[in-house]
Amino acid sequence: MATGLIALLDDITAIAKLAAASLDDVAAQTVKASTKAAGVVIDDAAVTPRYVVGLTPERELPIIARIAFGSLKNKLLFLLPGALLLGYFAPWAITPLLMVGGIYLCYEGAEKLYGAVFPHAAHAHEDAVLGATSDPAALENEKVAGAIRTDFILSAEIMALTLSTVADASIYMQGTVLAGVGILITLAVYGAVALIVKADDAGVALARNPVSLLRPLGRGLVLGMPVFLKFLAAIGTAAMLWVGGSILVHGLAQMGQAGPEHFIHDISERVALTLQVAPGLVGWLATSALQALLAIVVGAVTIVIMGNVVAPIWSRLRPAKH
């Protein structure tokens, strides 16, 4: 009886060690996958704050919470099972689907660029495609929906990168790592976004603080955050163009059309060799700029199609407002 108990304890210890090793493996794979997706995560963090610019301060955190919940739902309810199913049954479909998302990012980025250069024309285009909105609640819902759509594309890229990192693992390991990465990145991105958009409120509190050393810091935050938010919105637009262009270039290469990728690589190498200053950084900047330029062209074409083909059809299907 004692021998049987000892054997049972040995089995339990072995199972515990195996479980601990599995948890360590999951944690290591999650960190590795999160690091690989860091570029897209930064883009996601840069893109999101522009969706709360222009809205009342008391609605900023609720809007970010709604977007974060939508992002988590995107990752766990749609993208995670979708990635596992596509990776198992139709891996060939992942690249075309990502490219469709890349075109949407090109459209979004080009539309924001268009709005910065021709604000009245861009506003008219947006009204034609989506319909004019003056109700604050409807405007908030549109901004949240737009943010969640953009997040879906960026999240799909994150999940695809994560899946490629654990492609040789079991489907259970893949699912666990995808879920871990999805939760970790969502908390990190939207926690950072919440801190960014509420930094001016923290600045007001510091400026009124009785401790004199804190008041200059508070005034600096109050004066600097509007400029920083505008800068971050510009970075977000550039990020959408860069990510959208890179998705299209890499997607074409995976589908056997590597011409654009080779062209961009050769031009970037020439620029780096010509300048001979920080060649790695210069090459990356040149590659990103060329990918963004491609995205602007694709986005401009998409704007024309949306305005002249999609908008008329949508206006007929959309119910009339009374």
Side-chain angles (χ1 to χ4, degrees):
M1 187 173 179
T3 304
L5 181 59
I6 292 172
L8 178 60
L9 290 175
D10 285 342
D11 289 342
I12 292 173
T13 303
I15 291 170
K17 288 181 179 179
L18 183 61
S22 298
L23 287 173
D24 288 342
D25 195 18
V26 168
Q29 292 285 5
T30 300
V31 172
K32 179 181 176 182
S34 299
T35 303
K36 187 174 181 180
V40 187
V41 173
I42 293 169
D43 298 336
D44 203 359
V47 167
T48 305
R50 69 185 181 84
Y51 288 100
V52 299
V53 173
L55 296 176
T56 56
E58 62 269 15
R59 292 303 303 159
E60 289 174 345
L61 288 182
I63 288 172
I64 291 170
R66 289 179 64 188
I67 297 171
F69 179 75
S71 174
L72 202 58
K73 190 164 66 172
N74 281 343
K75 292 181 180 75
L76 299 184
L77 296 186
F78 303 116
L79 292 172
L80 191 156
L84 293 177
L85 289 172
L86 285 174
Y88 190 80
F89 292 107
W92 54 267
I94 294 176
T95 296
L97 289 173
L98 284 176
M99 291 181 70
V100 171
I103 292 172
Y104 176 77
L105 288 180
C106 295
Y107 168 73
E108 277 273 289
E111 190 181 43
K112 300 307 172 189
L113 195 61
Y114 183 40
V117 180
F118 304 105
H120 296 297
H123 186 69
H125 166 76
E126 189 173 342
D127 287 347
V129 174
L130 298 176
T133 300
S134 57
D135 178 57
L139 178 62
E140 178 179 316
N141 289 336
E142 281 185 8
K143 282 184 172 285
V144 170
I148 291 174
R149 282 195 300 270
T150 302
D151 174 271
F152 186 89
I153 306 304
L154 294 171
S155 294
E157 184 72 2
I158 290 168
M159 300 301 260
L161 287 169
T162 302
L163 187 62
S164 68
T165 304
V166 292
D168 296 330
S170 68
I171 193 168
Y172 305 106
M173 173 69 77
Q174 290 177 358
T176 305
V177 171
L178 284 169
V181 168
I183 294 170
L184 178 66
I185 285 177
T186 301
L187 293 176
V189 166
Y190 291 100
V193 169
L195 290 175
I196 288 169
V197 300
K198 299 308 290 184
D200 53 348
D201 293 343
V204 171
L206 289 173
R208 295 172 178 171
N209 196 286
V211 180
S212 59
L213 291 176
L214 296 177
R215 289 198 289 269
L217 175 60
R219 287 192 291 269
L221 282 173
V222 172
L223 295 174
M225 283 312 297
V227 177
F228 178 71
L229 281 173
K230 289 181 180 179
F231 172 74
L232 199 60
I235 293 296
T237 299
M240 281 195 289
L241 292 170
W242 165 53
V243 174
S246 66
I247 290 173
L248 294 182
V249 169
H250 297 319
L252 287 171
Q254 290 179 14
M255 296 173 71
Q257 302 297 323
E261 186 175 57
H262 291 322
F263 176 78
I264 290 174
H265 178 266
D266 292 344
I267 295 296
S268 301
E269 277 200 339
R270 290 180 188 176
V271 171
L273 289 173
T274 300
L275 295 180
Q276 294 186 343
V277 177
L281 176 62
V282 170
W284 179 83
L285 289 173
T287 299
S288 300
L290 290 170
Q291 290 170 343
L293 184 61
L294 172 65
I296 291 172
V297 173
V298 172
V301 173
T302 310
I303 287 173
V304 172
I305 294 172
M306 291 293 291
N308 294 282
V309 178
V310 176
I313 296 173
W314 175 243
S315 63
R316 293 192 190 99
L317 296 175
R318 188 171 56 212
K321 295 181 180 180
H322 300 287

